Amino acid sequence: MLHDPAQLDLMFQALADPARRQMVERLSRGPASVSQLAEPLAMSLSAVVQHLNVLEASGLVRTQKIGRVRTCQIEPKALSAAETWINERRLAWERRLDRLGDFLAESKDET
Amino acid sequence: MLHDPAQLDLMFQALADPARRQMVERLSRGPASVSQLAEPLAMSLSAVVQHLNVLEASGLVRTQKIGRVRTCQIEPKALSAAETWINERRLAWERRLDRLGDFLAESKDET
DNA sequence: TCAAAACTGAAGCATTTACTTAACTATTGA
DNA sequence: TCAATAGTTAAGTAAATGCTTCAGTTTTGA
C-alpha cells in the first residue's frame, strides 16, 4: 500500500495544481461544501467538481453527500504518504553526505 | 520565494511521474550521469533527457557538464519546499482537531 | 407546490505531456 | 585520426489535462 507508485503519482499530480492546493488549504482549516470550495476560485463550479474528483481519486480528500450538499474533508493519512516519500529521500542523501563527511575527515587525518 | 505557487507546481508536477521519482531516488544515493540515470528505465535516452529537464526546471536537480558527461545531483533545499508545504497543511488540521477535541471535552463537562 | 440551490455529467476544445525516431554535436580513447 | 561514447535537439504523435457551456437531477424552503 505505502509506496505504491500509482498512488504517489495520483497524490503528487493532485498537488501539482494551484487550484487544488488551494482547495486542500481550505480543507485543512475544516470541512467545506463544494460551493464553499469554489467561492474563492475564478472558475466554474463544474471545473471545481472536476478538481474535487481528482483530489478524491488521489485519496487526499473524502466527501459525503447529505441532502443536496456534498461535504468535503481532508484525509490526513494520505498526505503523510507523500511526506514519507520525501522524508525517505532526504534521509538517504543526508546519510550519504554524512558518510562523505566522514570520508573527507579521514582523508584529512591521513595527511 | 518559499510558497511561490508556480514553484510548487513545478515541484509537485516533477514528482508526479514514476520515472522522475526513480531518477530522484537514484540521485538521493549519489550523483549520476544521464546514462546512469537512464540505465534502469525502459525508455529512450532522449526521453530521459526530457525528464531530466523537467527535474532541473523544478529546481529538484542540478547538473553540470564536464567533457561529454553531464553529472546530476539532488538539490536538497528544493525538496524541503514541498515538505514544508505538506507540513504546514498537516499542522493546520492537527491544530483544528485539537481545538475540536477541546471543544468536545468542554461540551462533555457541561452536561 | 415549485422555484431556487447545489450539485452532476457530457461534450467540446486548446494546451500540455510523455513519449518516439532521426539527425546532429561534441569528446575521448585507442 | 576517427570510430565509439555521451548527450542534445527537433519534429511528430497519442493521450491526458484543465477548462468551458449546457442540459440535466435532487433537495429544500417559503
Side-chain angles (χ1 to χ4, degrees):
Chain A
M1 180 91 81
L2 206 59
H3 271 211
D4 176 23
Q7 180 62 24
L8 283 174
D9 283 7
L10 291 174
M11 180 101 71
F12 284 123
Q13 182 68 49
L15 293 175
D17 183 278
R20 286 194 294 262
R21 279 200 310 279
Q22 203 176 328
M23 291 165 76
V24 169
E25 287 179 20
R26 170 63 189 80
L27 292 176
S28 69
R29 298 197 305 276
S33 70
V34 176
S35 305
Q36 285 173 329
L37 286 179
E39 194 265 327
L41 298 171
M43 64 181 70
S44 71
L45 186 62
S46 189
V48 172
V49 170
Q50 288 170 62
H51 279 306
L52 186 55
N53 291 339
V54 172
L55 287 171
E56 206 167 5
S58 79
L60 281 168
V61 168
R62 193 162 27 95
T63 75
Q64 57 180 339
K65 192 156 188 175
I66 298 176
R68 62 184 166 178
V69 177
R70 178 145 74 134
T71 303
C72 314
Q73 45 191 313
I74 289 205
E75 185 58 68
K77 289 176 199 163
L79 254 188
S80 70
E83 209 173 10
T84 299
W85 188 89
I86 293 177
N87 274 327
E88 286 178 1
R89 291 323 116 217
R90 234 235 334 246
L91 271 175
W93 62 252
E94 275 174 0
R95 275 197 299 270
R96 199 181 65 75
L97 289 185
D98 283 351
R99 282 199 301 277
L100 189 60
D102 291 349
F103 172 73
L104 292 176
E106 281 175 32
S107 301
K108 204 177 175 186
D109 291 346
E110 285 165 10
T111 47
Chain B
M1 179 89 83
L2 206 59
H3 271 213
D4 175 25
Q7 180 63 23
L8 282 175
D9 282 8
L10 291 173
M11 181 100 71
F12 284 123
Q13 183 68 51
L15 293 175
D17 183 279
R20 286 195 293 263
R21 279 200 309 279
Q22 204 174 327
M23 291 166 75
V24 169
E25 287 180 20
R26 170 62 188 81
L27 291 176
S28 70
R29 298 198 304 274
S33 69
V34 177
S35 305
Q36 285 173 327
L37 286 179
E39 194 265 326
L41 299 172
M43 64 180 71
S44 71
L45 186 62
S46 187
V48 172
V49 170
Q50 289 169 61
H51 279 306
L52 187 55
N53 291 339
V54 172
L55 286 171
E56 206 167 5
S58 79
L60 281 169
V61 167
R62 193 162 27 95
T63 74
Q64 58 179 339
K65 193 158 187 175
I66 298 176
R68 62 185 164 178
V69 176
R70 177 144 76 133
T71 302
C72 315
Q73 45 191 311
I74 288 207
E75 185 59 67
K77 288 175 202 166
L79 254 188
S80 70
E83 209 173 10
T84 298
W85 187 88
I86 292 177
N87 274 327
E88 284 178 2
R89 288 325 113 218
R90 234 237 330 250
L91 270 176
W93 61 253
E94 276 174 0
R95 274 196 300 268
R96 198 181 64 76
L97 290 185
D98 282 352
R99 282 198 302 276
L100 188 59
D102 291 349
F103 171 74
L104 291 177
E106 280 174 34
S107 302
K108 203 177 174 184
D109 291 347
E110 284 164 12
T111 47

